Amino acid sequence: MKRIPLFFRVISGLFFVFSFGIAAQQSASEDQLRQARAAAGESQQVDVSQYIQSGGNNTGRGSDVNVPGSNNARPMSEEEMGLPPPFGANLFDGGFESERSDGLNSSYLVAPGDKLSIQMWGAVNSANVVTVDNQGNVFIPDVGPIKVKDVPANRVNSTVTQKIKSIYTNNVSVYVNLLTATPISVFVAGPVERPGQYAGLASDSLLFFLKRAGGIDSFRGSYRNIKVLRQDKVVLEYDLYDFLKEGKLEAFSFKDEDVIFVEEQGPMVTVEGSARYPFRFELEAEQAAGQDLMYYARPLSKSSHVAITGNRQNGFVSVYLPLAEFSSFTMEDGDTVLFNDDIRPQVISVQVSGSYKGQSFYTVKKDTRLLDLLSHIEVDPKQANYGAIYIKRESVVEQQKALLEESLQRLERNIFTAPASSSGEASIRAQEAQLVTQFVARARAVEPLGKVIVSENGKVANIRLEQGDEIIIPAQTDLIQVAGEVLMPQAIVYNPNATLTDYVAWSGGFSDRADDERIAIVHANGLTSFMSGDSDLWFTGEQSNKLAPGDQILVLPKVDTKLMQSIKDVTQIIYQIAIAANVARD
């Protein structure tokens, strides 16, 4: 016998060990998988009965779980196409399918295959469970067949008892109970998410079977034209708008092999704007009047006009009508209806804050001016600084935000596009950009006050009021507020002989970051002026060259001179924030 060389024997042995290891590893992996499935409660095989009971899949519309035979290609949704959902699209989002009980309701009609428990006691003692035969009867010894087919569940006891007592007339008591119901299979067809055959009970509702089918396709299926077919004949029609609007859903007893057929979607009209139901609505016919749409869309009470756009056979249509005229307007498929509030209010609401008596909100005519309203506001002359009134206005807030944002964007452009001639300068620019980014983020968080200066030297300008204005009547005070870059921000009693330098000194002096060359003075009337801390010189004219009770001294931060590229822009923004929001932002 020819001997095999040692080298080949070693290689063969190693190959055998390697193959055995792989097989053992695969076997161990399969065992681990089985154990994991068993721990998770999974069955090694598919339970067909459970699959049939769940309709193939118990997930709702939009589920990512694929069912056998399903197509993974998902059509575009209304949201992806820029369209609102149709009216009633959320009807099948509930969990009533998975939460329903298997109990029988009172309207269930007995069918062949159902089981009844019949108990008799007294002169005759008997306890039997009988099955309804194919002819719809149950057979009881000594009594004979009793017809129970199509008898409602709540009348089975009386029907069978009456027949038994016609035979046993004396001293016999009877109790009959419907134990089980024979399931039926109903076909769901048409534009639904998962058309097919589904199991249920004869007493289940139309919505139950539609839910089992995943619901109506909201882009192609009709919510208003649903038919129940029995042997190719229409036995009932449903309009789900009646259920959605009025809760009407006709009871119906399904039979085996009935077909629920959802028709193709009819003409659709899109509703937008001031309506309680801004959805797409299906018309009952090719055309519909505006009042029919308003019944379902329910425009808000403030809606005054309607804009209708759409295409007709003779071209594009764009109409703007009062709400009353829209009731008789004829709509067609593809129209877009926009309910609009186009009546300008004739009154405005104004708020009063500060030192005053009486109510804080006033409703006045649209063209009311400030002095006209002030004549109706009672104040205490000893408590209110009537000559320093100012207004906070929303439109001014928006303007100040826009101006501040424009300045911040300009600062960012200057920083991020600044050229660098060397690597050292590039490093400096990068550090500068980081600091400016932090400053911009803090500056964007500032909320302007929207102050409108209406008083000066005790005189109040008679300006026209706007919706949402807040009239500020400052209180009389004997204090000067010192804030910002000082060592001890505080309130100091007003001294007519004291200068700006004195107040800063009483507050501990300037901090290391203070800009002592331009100090903001926020006056009681909301006006902001600037002066120098060294010479007590004012930059806004002689009329404001004196501090007064109620003023606020705001010491602004100094911009680091190392930021040479952006120091001018940063300084300007700091001044803007001081004027708009009365804060010192560094």
Side-chain angles (χ1 to χ4, degrees), residues 120-336:
M120 296 186 292
W121 65 95
V124 177
N125 291 318
S126 173
N128 296 314
V129 175
V130 296
T131 303
V132 181
D133 60 25
N134 292 334
Q135 299 180 31
N137 301 322
V138 291
F139 186 84
I140 301 176
D142 298 328
V143 176
I146 302 176
K147 187 77 171 181
V148 293
K149 182 181 178 181
D150 294 333
V151 174
N154 60 353
R155 291 176 50 196
V156 170
N157 184 46
S158 60
T159 301
V160 176
T161 299
Q162 182 179 3
K163 182 66 174 178
I164 292 176
K165 287 195 172 185
S166 67
I167 304 299
Y168 298 103
T169 58
N170 295 319
N171 196 25
V172 174
S173 298
V174 181
Y175 179 76
V176 181
N177 182 37
L178 179 60
L179 295 179
T180 61
T182 303
I184 61 171
S185 64
V186 173
F187 296 92
V188 182
V192 294
E193 296 291 335
R194 300 189 299 270
Q197 184 179 13
Y198 295 92
L201 300 179
S203 59
D204 285 331
S205 69
L206 173 87
L207 295 179
F208 173 78
F209 288 106
L210 289 176
K211 171 68 176 179
R212 299 290 291 272
I216 298 173
D217 187 313
S218 59
F219 191 70
R220 295 172 297 178
S222 173
Y223 285 75
R224 309 205 65 175
N225 194 358
I226 303 172
K227 296 181 173 63
V228 178
L229 306 178
R230 182 171 294 167
Q231 297 180 353
D232 297 333
K233 294 182 180 180
V234 177
V235 294
L236 193 64
E237 295 185 8
Y238 283 95
D239 183 350
L240 291 184
Y241 276 25
D242 294 339
F243 172 73
L244 292 167
K245 184 65 177 179
E246 302 176 3
K248 296 180 179 178
L249 187 68
E250 185 174 350
F252 182 75
S253 181
F254 286 92
K255 292 188 177 182
D256 207 31
E257 297 187 354
D258 279 352
V259 177
I260 298 174
F261 184 73
V262 178
E263 295 282 357
E264 294 292 331
Q265 193 174 80
M268 299 293 287
V269 173
T270 302
V271 173
E272 300 175 349
S274 301
R276 292 177 175 84
Y277 295 92
F279 302 115
R280 291 188 298 125
F281 291 87
E282 185 177 356
L283 305 181
E284 285 190 282
E286 292 299 322
Q287 296 180 340
Q291 61 182 0
D292 299 331
L293 180 65
M294 289 193 295
Y295 174 73
Y296 293 105
R298 294 192 63 203
L300 299 177
S301 58
K302 66 177 183 178
S303 300
S304 61
H305 290 73
V306 184
I308 307 101
T309 57
N311 289 312
R312 301 288 190 274
Q313 292 182 352
N314 55 355
F316 184 76
V317 172
S318 180
V319 182
Y320 196 66
L321 300 173
L323 189 62
E325 297 182 14
F326 174 68
S327 298
S328 58
F329 182 84
T330 301
M331 300 173 299
E332 295 186 9
D333 185 26
D335 284 355
T336 299

Side-chain angles (χ1 to χ4, degrees), residues 28-44:
S29 299
E30 292 177 357
D31 290 340
Q32 292 175 357
L33 180 59
R34 292 190 188 98
Q35 293 174 3
R37 285 179 172 175
E42 284 191 19
S43 174
Q44 301 298 320

Side-chain angles (χ1 to χ4, degrees), residues 355-405:
S355 180
Y356 65 96
K357 296 181 179 180
Q359 65 189 57
S360 59
F361 283 88
Y362 291 84
T363 300
V364 297
K365 293 182 179 179
K366 188 175 181 180
D367 294 329
T368 301
R369 293 184 175 272
L370 177 59
L371 294 181
D372 298 333
L373 178 59
L374 289 179
S375 62
H376 294 84
I377 299 176
E378 183 180 359
V379 298
D380 185 349
K382 295 181 180 180
Q383 299 292 331
N385 188 357
Y386 194 81
I389 291 175
Y390 64 93
I391 294 176
K392 291 182 180 179
R393 179 167 289 178
E394 288 296 328
S395 60
V396 177
V397 171
E398 297 302 324
Q399 293 174 3
Q400 290 177 336
K401 283 184 178 180
L403 293 174
L404 179 59
E405 180 62 27

Side-chain angles (χ1 to χ4, degrees), residues 514-555:
D515 183 3
D516 58 357
E517 295 183 359
R518 289 178 67 90
I519 300 174
I521 309 298
V522 182
H523 300 282
N525 65 349
L527 181 67
T528 302
S529 55
F530 294 89
M531 66 182 301
S532 171
D534 293 335
S535 59
D536 288 338
L537 296 177
W538 291 80
F539 295 96
T540 55
E542 301 245 346
Q543 69 277 13
S544 302
N545 61 358
K546 187 177 180 181
L547 291 171
D551 288 351
Q552 178 183 359
I553 300 172
L554 189 62
V555 181

Side-chain angles (χ1 to χ4, degrees), residues 100-117:
R100 67 176 290 273
S101 65
D102 291 330
L104 301 173
N105 59 47
S106 59
S107 61
Y108 174 77
L109 301 181
V110 176
D114 292 347
K115 295 184 181 299
L116 278 68
S117 170

